[in-house]
Amino acid sequence: MPKIKIDGEELEVELGTTILEAAKEVQVNIPTLCYLEELSVYGGCRLCVVEIEGEKNLKPACATEIAEGMEIKTHSEKVRRVRKNIFELIISSHNIGCELNCLDCSWNISCELKEIAELIEIDQSRLDSINERYDDDNSSHAVVRKMNKCIDCTRCVRKCEEIQGVGIFTKANRGPETLITTFKNKGMGNVECANCGQCIHACPTGALHESYHYNSVWHFLNDDSKFVVVQTAPSVRVALSEGFGEEPGTVATGQMVAALRRLGFDRVFDTNFSADLTIMEEGYELIGRIKEGGKLPMFTSCSPGWIKFIEHFYPEYLPHLSTCKSPQQMLGAVAKSYYAEQHGINVEDMIVVSVMPCTAKKFEASRLEMEDDVDFVLTTRELIRMIKESGLDMMNLAEEKADKMMGASSGAADIFGATGGVMEAALRTAYEVITEEELGKLDFKTLRGLAGIKEAEVEIGELTVKAAVAHGLGNAKELMERIEAGAEYHFVEVMACPGGCVGGGGQPVPTNQETVEKRLNSLYQIDAEKKLRKSHENPEIKAIYEEFLGEPGAKKSHDLLHTHYIPRSI
Amino acid sequence: MEELSFLEKLHNLQDTYGYIPEREISNLAEEADISRAKVFGVISFYSMFYTEPTGKYIVRICDSLSCYVNDSEDLVKAVQDYLEIEDGETSKDKKFSLEVVECLGHCGEGPVMMINNKTFTQLNEKKALNILKECK
Amino acid sequence: MGERQLLKKEATTDITEHNFSALEKALTMEGAEVVKEIKEAGLKGRGGAGFPTGLKWELALAEEADDKYLICNADEAETGTFKDRYLMENVPFKVLEGIIIAAYAVGANKGYIYIRGEYSKPIKIFTKVLKDAYDEGLLGASILDSDFNFDLRLIKGAGAYICGEETALLNSIEGKRGKSRTKPPYPIQSGLFGQPTVVNNVETLTSAREIIDLGAEEYGALGTEESKGTKLVCLSGDISKPGVYEVEFGELTIREIIEELGQGVKNDEQLKFIIPGGASTSIIPAEKMDVDYSYEAIAEIGSSLGSGAIIVLDDTHSLLDLMVNVSRFFMDETCGTCFPCKDGNKQLNYLLKKAVQKGGFTKKEIELIRSIGETIILSARCGLGQTSSNFINSIFDNYQAEVLQRGNEDAEN
Ligand SMILES: Cc1cc2nc3c(=O)[nH]c(=O)nc-3n(C[C@H](O)[C@H](O)[C@H](O)COP(=O)(O)O)c2cc1C
Ligand code: SF4
Ligand code: FES
């Protein structure tokens, strides 16, 4: 192993190690900007430059491998001077200087640039701002691009391409016209974007954020003639608290419900309820397809990013998608029918708001096929903003419960937020419905965890159900390739975001492997601690079928709870 | 030898259509199994490729140092006035596109103007306008 | 005194008139022997960096691979440079010979000549040259009945200066954005499509051809200790007789080149300074014109011979305008990858334009511009960024007093 020296510390490291990695071994963190561990190395920002003894030019630590005898200085006079200048150049060439827009920046709560500025001790800013003036890209229902803030680090480009396998972004032009853009500058709404919002998590400058709905929500909350109801997705409760300084994974279900009531929502429902409902519908659909020789494998349909991905890239597979609406849409649909009817609320006056970990849900709610179900979609981040704006000390609110009729849920619904969760929930119900026996062990451990693609075979009576689970669209693409190559499954669960909804594009910053894992564990914890752990045993679910829907898959559910898809080419 | 390289394909399309149409970009992307955004990224890197139709005549005038000291800016000005378009624009009748470019490699014979594939050297305003007038 | 013509000699575009003696000779030698000749002749790369060609070939020859590539870099786009065009237009078969000899020497089986897209005439000529050469058995299988096989293909560039940088060139041929690559690995180890690749300039390869033709000894007798042979010089700017001249290294001073070959500054104006090797090299002021034309003598006075593009500037220009013009070149041509190069050259252009408006710099501004320039040079990945502020810095080094804003030199802002 080569021997090297970093800031005078001797160490031995494997050949092929980068300077950046080697430095970590002697507890030196070299500042980086375009580098992200999960992505390929770009080496463009040059903030990570170091001095190598005997070489005139500085070298980027992220893109330079160590060599025998290297003597590296990570913060020499030259290095410190150069990286401060680079930082100054970045700030002045893009619309990201503090005096310009810290205050309304989507990243103001957790600013990577500020951290870097602190790390490298920026003490002056001598340059005029010479930012190009680009228009914002507002073409998408899900994600907004503020091109003026973009510094061309390509983190979104690489995330979209390497992790999500979609690749809607590119670096275009050269020289002073260099920019990150979409195909022919069409805008995110006019290309094959899945709306997953993972690019938002990749962006260090806040150039990307969700298309905001919170102002509209404020508006209707203040309109007494409207009956405003809200629903919250499983993953929100294990992430919301991060916005209030809690450890990732801290559960805040009761506090969240209380906060929503204090914000003025007339009813607080739980998307978990409709997750249970989804399991009923989807479970019966699967059983039907297996029994009656329908299209298999059946694909889950609760992740709208995944739906759009299939519509663009695999339109021939549309018949494989379950026709079930997602839990968000189902809840909207039954709120505006079942609940409205029973409480004599004029549907015209009802506003359904959902709080989602997801940006694609915004697009989903706008789909013409079901645009009446949900009116506004807030991300977890937007709800954090609203609660903050209202002055509430959320974590110290007394816990409250969601409203009756659409507030109860099983543990199976909670794990919807985790990759493999929908599959596990469905299997718990399918098993008992088909075999009419009680399922002994409820935990399907092979379906859990962060492996990109998980496969399992589950014995249900006579039948061996072959299941596959993928999370992140890059993995989904790989799974689709397997299916195209002949792999046979009955049931396939895909969630567009890495980790599942807990890692959604609308979740708090930072959303990374570490935070995703903690949120995920909390969901399984909630499930484990619940008495009610199977969707079909949820009393409110039993009630809605008895009082309103009839049977799963019957006419009424079909009209309200199912939908169809649109082939979109690229 | 191997099949056409990607760059050659782009040249062929550019020569065929005068720009590289969207559907051809999609085809290229599919063939190469990369996103069409990426193909656009490649095309837009190069000054001689276009993704929108240009004028029939692309007029390129060099304004790099050797030409600059031989009064290329006067030439640029005269051509702009004559064509009534600025750098990067196409005339309304789609006849001319004007591009002020960096060194064209005829620095000893500046100022220099290219019209499509033809290079004209040792120009002055009068000569240049006469050449443009001949573009029908 | 005057030109010393080797490369320029025996011009023809007719294959039947060209004598392929050098190639024939090379094919009777071992590859390693050819490399040895080039090494002994002391040839240095003429593309701008001056890397010893023999060494490059030796390293490439030692690489084992299924495919090995030889690339002739004819992307010539450095301001003031037009010698490769001269060679391709006038002695294309010598260029071809050089390419084949190089391929033979390093054991390359495939090759490309990458000609900038704007060079329509050379492209036309070379298209014909390749066709003729294939017809005559000079390319393809069993070249001149030897057991050497080599395929050569012409690739047109598409308008991007940076593609002349060797690793950007590889990306461009591969059909990617023409951005440079991180080195190491060097092209010799992992170049085109990951295979060992030699990239050489047109003039380098043509000179290699002359070396084999004359023999290392005779060629090496020309020039100085560090600069062997002849060099094409492109004279442009404020000069009476611009053009491509071939000089023996060390024979003439820059003053002699300007006065004797170029017949002095145009319109009898006063010489202010020259740029010896294109816009990426530092200027040489009029007082230092008596420097010998050689790599070492020019390096000695703090500049570089670069590609051999001597741009002559008289004293009628505004230095500020010239700085803006040169900085725009780099701003326009950066591939846009390195933040310091992309944003830095943009800032420099902005600061220089601002100075034009106010009629000069404050000392503080000069300090700032130099500091940004230093940052670009030290932290950029490729030669473009690393040389982009040489011109500006050298103007400050030589003419700071002239570019200060009179009466406001010490202002804070
Ligand atoms: C920005 C930039 C542009 C360059 N352009 C050219 C060029 O047009 N032609 C060329 O031969 N070398 C050019 N070079 C130098 C090449 O990188 C490389 O050093 C050269 O082709 C090697 O050949 P040689 O050793 O024969 O000179 C350029 C370098 C840089 C940094
Ligand atoms: S130095 Fe400039 S031209 Fe070279 S790779 Fe970096 S950005 Fe591109
Ligand atoms: S400077 Fe104009 S052609 Fe070179």
Side-chain angles (χ1 to χ4, degrees), chain A residues 44-46 56-58 81 85 89-90 92-94 126 128 130 151-153 171-176, chain C residues 159-160 177 331-334 336-340 342-343 347 350 354 368 371 374-375 377-379 381 386:
Chain A
C45 78
R46 318 303 273 187
K56 177 179 155 272
N57 292 331
L58 304 179
R81 194 165 67 227
N85 273 359
L89 284 170
I90 299 171
S92 58
S93 310
H94 307 275
R126 300 160 294 176
D128 292 350
I130 53 164
I151 58 172
D152 310 330
C153 70
K171 189 162 204 177
N173 308 336
R174 66 172 204 281
Chain C
R177 291 169 57 80
M331 173 178 82
D332 282 352
E333 295 299 339
T334 162
T337 303
C338 308
F339 289 17
K342 166 177 69 89
D343 295 335
Q347 257 314 328
Y350 167 83
K354 197 162 107 177
L368 177 61
S371 160
E374 185 210 25
T375 291
I377 290 174
L378 287 178
S379 62
R381 176 163 71 202
Q386 289 163 8

Side-chain angles (χ1 to χ4, degrees), chain A residues 126-156:
Chain A
R126 300 160 294 176
L127 302 171
D128 292 350
S129 174
I130 53 164
N131 177 42
E132 301 283 335
R133 284 277 146 196
Y134 296 109
D135 292 334
D136 292 349
D137 175 6
N138 284 312
S139 61
S140 159
H141 280 283
V143 181
V144 172
R145 267 190 85 218
K146 293 226 154 73
M147 310 251 286
N148 289 319
K149 284 191 183 178
C150 174
I151 58 172
D152 310 330
C153 70
T154 74
R155 277 166 43 165
C156 62

Side-chain angles (χ1 to χ4, degrees), chain C residues 14-28:
Chain C
D14 181 348
I15 193 165
T16 61
E17 285 176 9
H18 183 78
N19 179 358
F20 287 89
S21 53
L23 176 59
E24 280 160 12
K25 187 168 161 194
L27 290 175
T28 64

Side-chain angles (χ1 to χ4, degrees), chain B residues 33-90:
Chain B
D33 198 17
I34 53 177
S35 71
R36 58 184 184 153
K38 211 163 190 175
V39 180
F40 174 67
V42 173
I43 293 173
S44 62
F45 185 87
Y46 297 98
S47 311
M48 296 176 79
F49 295 144
Y50 302 83
T51 52
E52 299 295 340
T54 61
K56 179 162 65 175
Y57 298 103
I58 299 176
V59 180
R60 299 187 169 94
I61 304 177
C62 170
D63 191 32
S64 282
L65 194 59
S66 301
C67 286
Y68 173 79
V69 300
N70 281 293
D71 302 324
S72 56
E73 305 232 307
D74 295 342
L75 181 67
V76 170
K77 179 93 187 25
V79 171
Q80 279 176 339
D81 288 348
Y82 173 72
L83 298 178
E84 296 180 341
I85 48 176
E86 300 284 308
D87 177 20
E89 293 180 351
T90 297

